[in-house]
Amino acid sequence: MSKSIAGFSKLSKSKKIDWIVDTYFLNAENAQKIIKQYWNTNEKLQQLHDEFIENTITNYYLPLGVAPNFLINNKLYTIPMAIEESSVVAAASKAAKFWMDRGGFKTQVISTTKIGQVHFMYHGNVESLKAYFNHVKPKLIEDAQPITKNMEKRGGGILNIELRDKTSEIPGYFQLHASFETLDAMGANFINSCLEQFAKTFKSEALNFDAFTTEEKMIQVTMSILSNYVPECLVRAEVSCKVEDLSDSDAIDPEEFAEKFVQAVKIAEVEPYRAVTHNKGIMNGIDAVVLATGNDFRAIEACAHAYASRNGSYGSLSHAKIENGQFTFWIEMPLALGTVGGLTGLHPLVKLSLELLHHPSAKELMEIVAVAGLAQNFAALRSLTTTGIQQGHMKMHLMNILNQFEATLEEKEVLVKHFANHTISHSAVVKAIENLRQ
Ligand code: MEV
């Protein structure tokens, strides 16, 4: 039976663990052992991780893999990927190599604007509010100066603040809709600090605005928060080659492949059931690099899917065409990323990943991440429209099944050899293990 606890966060780490294992586990000793098995022996490093969040009990490992041979705008990259799904890094590496031999990926950052909003309620005369906004706007920017001055020195800062009337959706609902340039920072703290200052100034100055009635002076701020929807923080990545160059084996007819590939993308453009899986495949690549570089994958995910529905129905983030014998495949999507601040200067593996990527600017990281998404999507569609996905997937999954059955190194060697030319399925692997062990 579960029970509640008061003051849990104030307990020491070992007391927290004692309470958890005693409350929830039949074999408390074994649970203790598993939790502690993942502690780092380097106490300083462990403390760093403990302090990332509250109530840390242990570390949750994900593999950090690398996909080499990514030629992006004529520069070679090895891309770090933190992900648990067995086939993702292999697929990225395969796509990278394929396109390296065909001119590589071309990318372009289209825009870098971030958004934040102060949501507020006002039930008075709209013209008076507009007049007040025009009057107070310079003061909003001026009062945020202590927050913005460093960012401005580097060429960023507040781009604009607009008053938006949302009363047709909710009576009395207005916004200060602000746009920002945050350079190499993802900018969440910067934007939220600016917004909270805007809200403070906006409320207090209203009290002195003579054209307001007493009631109108009482502006009610509901909340001030950045938006993770950044349709104007856009990047494009593209690959292109002659259709006849698309084949790398005799088994694939390049024209048939190109046509099936474009069909597959068109299906994902119009069919939400397929589009979600198609985009999930893209996010396999994107999230893995976003995570390895210490960025917020939940923000990236939320934004990507909102963007995929921007026309009123959910569709593919990537597109493809054949024109005059030329195959072109591209992705255009919003990616709000940072290469300074947050985890980027703290987590040793994030620092390592950024160094591996030649210390990219936020714009370069947007390009690299978009490429990882496009490559992943290419690999998935290539399998789906030719051999099917299971062949590659199951090959990678074989090791997971063998580990589930605690296969020894010798057993693994025999079985990997066996399945090099036998169809892999869960039951076939289980049977092969049983046979071997008899
Ligand atoms: C699996 O993680 C991702 C795929 O399903 C993506 C796709 O279907 O395009 C293979």
Side-chain angles (χ1 to χ4, degrees), residues 203-223:
K203 270 175 63 164
S204 63
E205 290 298 310
L207 301 175
N208 306 323
F209 190 62
D210 292 339
F212 273 160
T213 63
T214 314
E215 256 180 22
E216 286 171 340
K217 287 181 179 175
M218 306 312 285
I219 286 174
Q220 220 189 72
V221 171
T222 311
M223 59 191 160

Side-chain angles (χ1 to χ4, degrees), residues 85 274 277-278 280-281 284 380 384 389:
E85 191 173 326
R274 172 56 201 151
T277 318
H278 176 100
K280 186 274 183 189
N284 275 345
L384 287 169
I389 206 77

Side-chain angles (χ1 to χ4, degrees), residues 389-418:
I389 206 77
Q390 282 311 89
Q391 188 180 306
H393 255 216
M394 291 311 286
K395 212 159 102 193
M396 297 303 301
H397 193 50
L398 173 62
M399 209 40 79
N400 287 346
I401 307 174
L402 294 178
N403 282 332
Q404 234 170 36
F405 284 85
E406 296 181 358
T408 62
L409 276 180
E410 291 76 21
E411 286 174 332
K412 281 180 184 170
E413 206 174 309
V414 173
L415 291 166
V416 166
K417 235 186 228 159
H418 170 80

Side-chain angles (χ1 to χ4, degrees), residues 78-263:
T78 293
I79 298 188
M81 304 178 89
I83 187 147
E84 87 300 343
E85 191 173 326
S86 18
S87 55
V88 169
V89 178
S93 306
K94 219 167 146 191
K97 179 78 178 52
F98 182 93
W99 284 107
M100 185 178 71
D101 299 336
R102 290 162 181 78
F105 296 81
K106 300 283 181 275
T107 62
Q108 191 196 348
V109 171
I110 297 166
S111 49
T112 56
T113 302
K114 314 266 171 68
I115 301 294
Q117 298 168 318
V118 177
H119 305 267
F120 68 93
M121 296 292 158
Y122 170 86
H123 295 279
N125 181 296
V126 176
E127 289 313 312
S128 305
L129 180 65
K130 283 182 190 165
Y132 171 60
F133 172 70
N134 288 332
H135 160 81
V136 81
K137 188 172 164 181
K139 178 98 172 112
L140 295 178
I141 294 171
E142 188 191 316
D143 285 1
Q145 263 286 308
I147 306 160
T148 58
K149 67 175 188 290
N150 281 338
M151 188 66 88
E152 278 169 10
K153 261 190 226 149
R154 286 181 270 131
I158 302 161
L159 300 177
N160 196 15
I161 311 173
E162 285 170 41
L163 174 69
R164 292 200 172 172
D165 183 338
K166 308 290 283 181
T167 50
S168 62
E169 281 137 81
I170 299 176
Y173 172 32
F174 292 85
Q175 299 169 347
L176 298 179
H177 183 96
S179 50
F180 302 86
E181 171 55 61
T182 62
L183 306 170
D184 284 336
M186 192 269 190
N189 282 332
F190 171 76
I191 294 174
N192 288 332
S193 301
C194 287
L195 294 170
E196 288 186 5
Q197 182 57 54
F198 295 165
K200 229 187 231 170
T201 304
F202 197 66
K203 270 175 63 164
S204 63
E205 290 298 310
L207 301 175
N208 306 323
F209 190 62
D210 292 339
F212 273 160
T213 63
T214 314
E215 256 180 22
E216 286 171 340
K217 287 181 179 175
M218 306 312 285
I219 286 174
Q220 220 189 72
V221 171
T222 311
M223 59 191 160
S224 311
I225 185 74
L226 94 166
S227 171
N228 288 121
Y229 187 47
V230 283
E232 281 170 33
C233 186
L234 269 190
V235 59
R236 179 188 164 99
E238 178 185 303
V239 284
S240 188
C241 73
K242 288 205 177 101
V243 169
E244 67 208 48
D245 294 338
L246 270 175
S247 175
D248 63 351
S249 83
D250 293 341
I252 295 179
D253 170 59
E255 278 183 12
E256 188 190 330
F257 167 65
E259 268 163 33
K260 273 181 90 174
F261 191 100
V262 172
Q263 265 167 21

